[in-house]
Amino acid sequence: MSNGARKRTGGYAGWPPPAALRPAATRAGTATAVAGARLAVALRTASRRRTAASSGAQQRKAPPMEPIKCGLLPGESKPVVERLNEPLRACLQRCLGRPVQLVVGENYVATGEALRQGRLDIAYLGPVTYVLQSRSAALEPFARPTHGGSCGPTFRAAIIVPLDSPLQSLAQLRGGEIAFGDLASTSGSWVPRHMLLQAGLAADRDYVRRHLGAHDAVVSAVAARRATAGALSLPVFERLLAEGRIGAGAVRVLAESAPIPEYMWTFRAGLPTALREALREAFIELLTPAALRPYRAQGFIPAVDADVDRVRQWMEDILQARLRGPLPPSVLPPTPRHAASEAAARWRHERTAQPRSGAAS
């Protein structure tokens, strides 16, 4: 390159000239653009980091909420129990602001064991199930349904027979086969056994027990004459009639029990105090008709351990009777051992002997 060319290009042959050789205005504009780009990149990076940090903090502060597990006894089939208690579940979930899950046990003992072992948070236990499980765990009852009037927080058990059964008293069930619910059921097993004991009949000595699990199964067995009689919750029996699940002319009530302390919603041991108080408040303030209807309740009231003392005594009476063993023949009640079968036989004979309508006399 000639000296003239170098003079015309400022002494440098390439183009564009290096930043140091560019005009001051050009150098300033370029620096500003680069700084702006770098700032934009830095801001975007910082924003992403803040978002990630914020998200991580939120995840650390609010992990996915574990559902509150509510245990229910299988007094009827699992789908029926879940359907009846769905309004209550929805109310509790809305009130507590966290998921609520219904868990129906395979049997009464399974539900009680799950609460005792901490696999449930709360459970709706009958008096017998509560008494058995609270012997080895610090369970705390906190709410029970009340029905108002003279009934209050109680219900009754019933012993039923086929509608046209000739039997008129519990004593006549001697020698018969009686259908019961779950082994640990209050109204489906223990209270009816106490009723029979008061009538002079001891289980497995004076009548045959058949445990069918659920109340509706007991009604079906009696209606189909697969059992001489059956024991179940009177409110469940009345609801099955109202729903048309058993015919009005299929069975009748032979005897009702004395008032039984109601079932109790019960906390597991170790449930956090704040959650206990929130649940207690949610139940006591519950007024939603759809949630209360399956319990036939006006509302829930506080419950304590002493509420089931009456049932504890009935259980003790039954256990003492078993320990005493069979009574000697001299002190057995005078009712014939097979009164139930003999009465049924007499009834069938009388019906057979009656002239049929339109038959020659």
Side-chain angles (χ1 to χ4, degrees):
M1 181 179 293
S2 64
N3 291 333
R6 280 196 289 268
K7 288 180 182 178
R8 287 194 298 272
T9 58
Y12 182 70
W15 188 264
L21 301 179
R22 293 175 190 165
T26 302
R27 291 200 306 271
T30 302
T32 301
V34 171
R38 288 175 177 171
L39 178 60
V41 171
L43 290 174
R44 285 196 297 269
T45 301
S47 177
R48 284 195 298 268
R49 288 174 178 171
R50 284 196 301 271
T51 300
S54 175
S55 177
Q58 290 177 355
Q59 291 176 357
R60 287 191 297 273
K61 291 179 181 178
M65 300 185 75
E66 290 292 327
I68 297 171
K69 295 182 179 179
C70 302
L72 296 164
L73 299 175
E76 297 178 70
S77 66
K78 180 178 179 180
V80 170
V81 174
E82 290 176 335
R83 171 177 61 81
L84 291 174
N85 286 276
E86 173 56 26
L88 175 64
R89 187 205 65 79
C91 284
L92 291 176
Q93 183 164 289
R94 184 169 58 252
C95 180
L96 299 170
R98 59 183 294 180
V100 174
Q101 178 184 354
L102 300 179
V103 181
V104 182
E106 291 297 320
N107 51 54
Y108 283 48
V109 172
T111 299
E113 285 289 313
L115 184 68
R116 185 178 66 82
Q117 296 172 3
R119 290 183 281 111
L120 296 172
D121 296 308
I122 62 174
Y124 190 54
L125 302 183
V128 169
T129 305
Y130 168 76
V131 168
L132 294 174
Q133 295 298 332
S134 62
R135 290 173 177 173
S136 55
L139 306 182
E140 180 190 347
F142 68 94
R144 55 181 176 155
T146 184
H147 313 290
S150 60
C151 183
T154 66
F155 70 113
R156 294 177 186 263
I159 294 180
I160 61 173
V161 293
L163 181 65
D164 54 3
S165 169
L167 304 180
Q168 298 299 321
S169 70
L170 294 179
Q172 292 178 308
L173 288 172
R174 189 184 302 277
E177 187 171 316
I178 303 178
F180 292 90
D182 191 277
L183 280 165
S185 173
T186 301
S187 58
S189 182
W190 285 81
V191 171
R193 286 174 61 188
H194 192 264
M195 295 167 64
L196 292 164
L197 185 63
Q198 289 183 312
L201 307 182
D204 306 324
R205 183 195 72 189
D206 300 311
Y207 58 88
V208 177
R209 284 189 294 165
R210 287 182 57 200
H211 286 276
L212 305 182
H215 296 294
D216 49 0
V218 170
V219 177
S220 297
V222 176
R225 302 177 185 279
R226 296 194 300 271
T228 309
L232 75 160
S233 162
L234 181 60
V236 172
F237 174 69
E238 292 171 342
R239 180 169 55 76
L240 292 175
L241 280 174
E243 292 177 352
R245 294 171 59 187
I246 52 175
V251 297
R252 62 179 171 85
V253 174
L254 178 65
E256 294 182 14
S257 73
I260 308 168
E262 262 291 6
Y263 283 42
M264 302 185 296
W265 280 103
T266 306
F267 295 132
R268 66 170 170 84
L271 194 68
T273 301
L275 182 54
R276 287 182 184 233
E277 294 311 310
L279 283 163
R280 196 191 311 272
E281 182 178 344
F283 272 92
I284 301 305
E285 295 185 356
L286 182 65
L287 295 175
T288 305
L292 295 172
R293 191 173 300 119
Y295 298 85
R296 304 172 299 107
Q298 292 183 350
F300 288 96
I301 62 175
V304 295
D305 177 89
D307 290 333
V308 297
D309 281 349
R310 184 187 312 172
V311 176
R312 282 192 174 94
Q313 184 58 56
W314 293 343
M315 295 172 69
E316 184 65 23
D317 293 344
I318 293 170
L319 294 174
Q320 289 299 322
R322 289 186 65 85
L323 290 174
R324 286 194 300 267
L327 296 174
S330 60
V331 298
L332 284 175
T335 309
R337 180 169 178 77
H338 298 290
S341 56
E342 290 178 4
R346 287 196 303 272
W347 172 77
R348 285 194 295 269
H349 175 73
E350 291 169 359
R351 289 199 62 178
T352 304
Q354 291 176 357
R356 295 180 181 178
S357 175
S361 59

